[in-house]
Amino acid sequence: MLEWINILSAWAVPVMIAFIPLYAHFKKVPVYESFVDGAKDGFSTAISIIPHLVGMMVAISVFRASGALEFFVGWMTPFLQSLHIPPEVLPLGILRPLTGTGSLAFTTDLIKTYGPDSMIGRIASTVQGSTDTTLYVLTVYFGAVGIRNGRYALKVGLFSDLIGFVAAIFVCLLLFG
């Protein structure tokens, strides 16, 4: 079974890359022209979201550089320890909705420090796969289409990140603790 999954995984992307243009060709879609038009639109979209991305990156940098992240983790440590939750993973739960690259770097540091088979490494890996970069997604997609009021999307996205974070910890503690 595992061998079939490995074969399927290895061939899935190349098959899709070959299938989509072939299907479009048979449907009489001008493949290259459609690709070029999409690339032009993508470039203008990328330019239009730069201010939103810069604002988000500045806010993240200020949050980390000000010591607010470390203060919050220190404040929550006794509570987390009483629940047998490693406090080292809390910054990941805070960073993950903000930045994918920053949270991946933090996860990498946790795995290098504690090991991939440690409880902290397992929780960090599970959190990384169970949550999303909500603020980044909202910044990019809402900024691209000009949505100014995304309060419900923000609430639902952050709530789902919280649920994903808590569920990842619970499942890891249940399976590996």
Side-chain angles (χ1 to χ4, degrees):
M1 181 67 171
L2 184 60
E3 184 178 330
W4 281 102
I5 292 172
N6 287 336
I7 291 170
L8 181 64
S9 297
W11 283 97
V13 172
V15 167
M16 289 300 291
I17 289 174
F19 173 75
I20 292 171
L22 286 173
Y23 181 78
H25 175 74
F26 286 118
K27 290 290 190 174
K28 306 289 188 229
V29 174
V31 177
Y32 183 73
E33 292 80 6
S34 298
F35 173 78
V36 171
D37 288 341
K40 285 180 189 175
D41 291 343
F43 186 72
S44 63
T45 300
I47 296 297
S48 70
I49 65 172
I50 286 175
H52 302 281
L53 290 174
V54 169
M56 185 187 69
M57 294 302 184
V58 168
I60 292 167
S61 297
V62 168
F63 180 66
R64 292 186 77 187
S66 70
L69 180 63
E70 289 80 17
F71 173 78
F72 184 69
V73 171
W75 181 69
M76 290 293 293
T77 296
F79 175 70
L80 294 172
Q81 287 175 335
S82 71
L83 297 174
H84 305 290
I85 297 171
E88 294 85 358
V89 299
L90 182 59
L92 180 59
I94 296 169
L95 288 174
R96 182 68 176 146
L98 301 172
T99 169
T101 305
S103 64
L104 184 59
F106 191 80
T107 299
T108 302
D109 288 343
L110 288 175
I111 290 172
K112 282 182 184 175
T113 303
Y114 299 100
D117 292 329
S118 67
M119 183 58 72
I120 292 171
R122 289 175 173 167
I123 290 173
S125 298
T126 307
V127 166
Q128 194 72 17
S130 301
T131 57
D132 200 1
T133 54
T134 300
L135 294 178
Y136 175 80
V137 168
L138 292 178
T139 299
V140 170
Y141 294 126
F142 284 18
V145 295
I147 295 174
R148 297 274 184 227
N149 188 358
R151 66 176 182 238
Y152 296 116
L154 180 63
K155 290 175 187 175
V156 169
L158 290 177
F159 183 69
S160 66
D161 284 332
L162 175 65
I163 297 300
F165 181 70
V166 170
I169 293 170
F170 176 75
V171 167
C172 285
L173 291 174
L174 183 68
L175 294 177
F176 305 113

